[in-house]
Amino acid sequence: MFIDRARIFVQSGRGGDGMSSFRHEKFVPKGGPNGGDGGQGGDVILEADSNVNTLVDFRFRRLFKAKPGGKGQGSNKYGRDAEDLIITVPLGTVIKDEASGKIMADLSRDGQQAVIAKGGRGGRGNWHFRTSANRTPTFAELGEPGEERWLRLELKVLADVGLLGYPSVGKSSILRQVSAAEPEVAAYHFTTLNPILGVVGLSDQRSFVMADIPGLIDGASEGVGLGHDFLRHIERTKILVHVLDVSGLEGRDPIEDYEKINAELVKYNEKLSHKKQIVAANKIDLLGNSDNLERLQAYMDTRDVELYPICAVNGTGMDALLERVWTLLTEYVEEPDEIDEEVVYKAVDKPDFEIKRDDDGAFVITGPRVERLVAMTNFDDDQSLRRFQRIWRYMELDKLLQEKGIQEGNTVRIYSKEFEYRK
């Protein structure tokens, strides 16, 4: 089963809590704090694997959670770092953040990885907080929460050559003729619903990957028929073989078909119109008295487009077509802007905090620094609470809240905590 889209939820591991402990050893009268730090939470990593062909596994499993880091221990023993959770996906998978719609990674090489959710930092043990004024701190930090997000995965087939054309022009027959792939063919009108890949073997151990991509119809660039499902898969191909039915038995005009399909490519993505195309004039065994082949040859000559008459059923003309495809592949040079698209996800610096008014009147403070502070503070410990208050004053949050018009008794919401404002 070929599945080329999926939706999954990922959550990185929470950092381990720091330890609050003290040395209790004979002959050490003033032992002091010795609580160890918590371990790092596991990252969620997506990795491209050439042995995986579809996203079908994500139909049955959509929740992926990395393990938390180990808790710190006494005697300054650190907690164990959690193992990263590695999720394998096919080559050509594009990962998008569902909330923002932005592309986080584009995995096109075998073994290429992208960290999609970073594991939380381990909390610091109480020995970190000893000072000349407080030699016996009783508090330690909690582990930092991991990241979580919904992702959309889209697979763009990675093939050297894509077969382009209307339904029932013979693309599947060509792939069956030149490779071991077995796409369905029949004597009635239908179209391939999913891309099918085949390895084409030539002499001298030469080979390349050819894809039979679902057939295109008018309006595909607006999503008609298979629409974007078709067009998405030809973006990664290096060479396009445009298959046309020149027999005329179906009442089709090959020149008109050629113009319509190329118009759809331009509407969808201007870059597709610049891909190298050669034309395979199929079904020459059924020409009869038709002059379609001569008209098509004259039309392509005026546009400097190469044309190869073939019969996919008996293999006539296929050797010449495949040798030309191989030559074009050896001459292919990837466009620079395609290389730059490989991975676009980069960390973006955000302000320490922002203050907004919620619908219920509460003042909501957001930002990675202040949210991390709240999440890693143990509010059940008096010393930890006093440290939080000192940092609060240092960040001048009271002043900023007053500028926003906060009043005595108003609610302040940060991360998962709510506070009542008191001057």
Side-chain angles (χ1 to χ4, degrees), residues 46 93-97 102-107 112-116 236 341-345:
L46 267 65
T93 300
V94 177
I95 299 100
K96 294 182 179 180
D97 178 62
K102 292 183 179 179
I103 296 177
M104 301 187 69
D106 186 348
L107 306 179
Q112 186 180 0
Q113 294 184 339
V115 178
I116 298 301
R236 290 285 173 77
E341 285 183 0
E342 190 173 276
V343 175
V344 300
Y345 176 61

Side-chain angles (χ1 to χ4, degrees), residues 100-396:
S100 64
K102 292 183 179 179
I103 296 177
M104 301 187 69
D106 186 348
L107 306 179
S108 56
R109 301 193 312 272
D110 190 27
Q112 186 180 0
Q113 294 184 339
V115 178
I116 298 301
K118 187 71 176 174
R121 176 173 63 84
R124 292 176 292 178
N126 65 332
W127 74 275
H128 281 283
F129 303 104
R130 65 195 188 284
T131 65
S132 58
N134 183 9
R135 299 183 180 182
T136 57
T138 60
F139 67 94
E141 282 183 329
L142 302 178
E144 181 185 12
E147 297 178 334
E148 59 182 46
R149 54 173 54 95
W150 280 97
L151 300 176
R152 288 199 175 273
L153 310 182
E154 294 183 0
L155 175 60
K156 295 181 180 180
V157 168
L158 288 177
D160 299 310
V161 182
L163 297 175
L164 176 70
Y166 271 95
S168 300
V169 296
K171 300 188 299 298
S172 297
S173 298
I174 291 174
L175 193 63
R176 290 177 68 97
Q177 180 69 235
V178 301
S179 74
E182 296 185 355
E184 183 181 356
V185 295
Y188 55 85
H189 287 281
F190 77 100
T191 184
T192 303
L193 297 179
N194 300 307
I196 299 174
L197 274 64
V199 178
V200 179
L202 304 178
S203 59
D204 301 325
Q205 297 183 334
R206 296 172 298 161
S207 64
F208 58 85
V209 179
M210 178 178 284
D212 171 18
I213 301 171
L216 189 64
I217 63 175
D218 298 340
S221 57
E222 283 79 38
V224 176
L226 295 175
H228 295 160
D229 291 340
F230 164 86
L231 292 163
R232 182 174 71 252
H233 290 302
I234 69 172
E235 291 185 86
R236 290 285 173 77
T237 56
K238 300 175 182 177
I239 308 296
L240 294 175
V241 177
H242 198 143
V243 184
L244 298 172
D245 179 359
V246 295
S247 69
L249 296 180
E250 303 291 340
R252 307 194 66 88
D253 180 19
I255 295 177
E256 183 179 335
D257 287 355
Y258 178 83
E259 292 176 342
K260 285 183 177 180
I261 285 186
N262 279 288
E264 293 295 336
L265 297 185
V266 174
K267 290 178 184 177
Y268 177 73
N269 188 336
E270 181 69 27
K271 286 169 54 178
L272 295 183
S273 65
H274 302 309
K275 283 189 179 291
K276 178 64 178 179
Q277 274 193 39
I278 60 176
V279 173
N282 192 27
K283 304 184 182 181
I284 58 174
D285 56 322
L286 303 176
L287 274 170
N289 297 323
S290 172
D291 64 347
N292 279 349
L293 183 58
E294 290 76 12
R295 289 192 306 109
L296 183 62
Q297 182 69 69
Y299 175 85
M300 295 303 168
D301 288 343
T302 62
R303 285 158 178 77
D304 197 26
V305 177
E306 300 176 43
L307 183 143
Y308 292 83
I310 65 166
C311 175
V313 174
N314 59 31
T316 301
M318 293 301 301
D319 289 343
L321 174 65
L322 297 179
E323 286 295 335
R324 182 53 181 159
V325 167
W326 174 259
T327 301
L328 292 173
L329 287 174
T330 59
E331 298 172 351
Y332 177 79
V333 177
E334 193 167 17
E335 297 180 14
D337 58 341
E338 292 182 3
I339 298 173
D340 292 341
E341 285 183 0
E342 190 173 276
V343 175
V344 300
Y345 176 61
K346 295 180 180 179
V348 179
D349 291 333
K350 296 181 180 179
D352 284 342
F353 45 81
E354 292 180 314
I355 301 176
K356 296 181 181 178
R357 198 75 183 267
D358 211 345
D359 294 337
D360 61 359
F363 289 80
V364 180
I365 304 179
T366 58
R369 183 181 173 190
V370 69
E371 290 176 357
R372 187 183 304 115
L373 172 64
V374 171
M376 300 180 72
T377 297
N378 180 5
F379 290 96
D380 294 329
D381 183 272
D382 290 340
Q383 289 190 14
S384 181
L385 180 58
R386 286 196 294 272
R387 174 177 176 268
F388 173 80
Q389 291 169 338
R390 287 196 303 271
I391 297 175
W392 178 283
R393 287 193 297 271
Y394 174 78
M395 297 171 69
E396 297 185 332

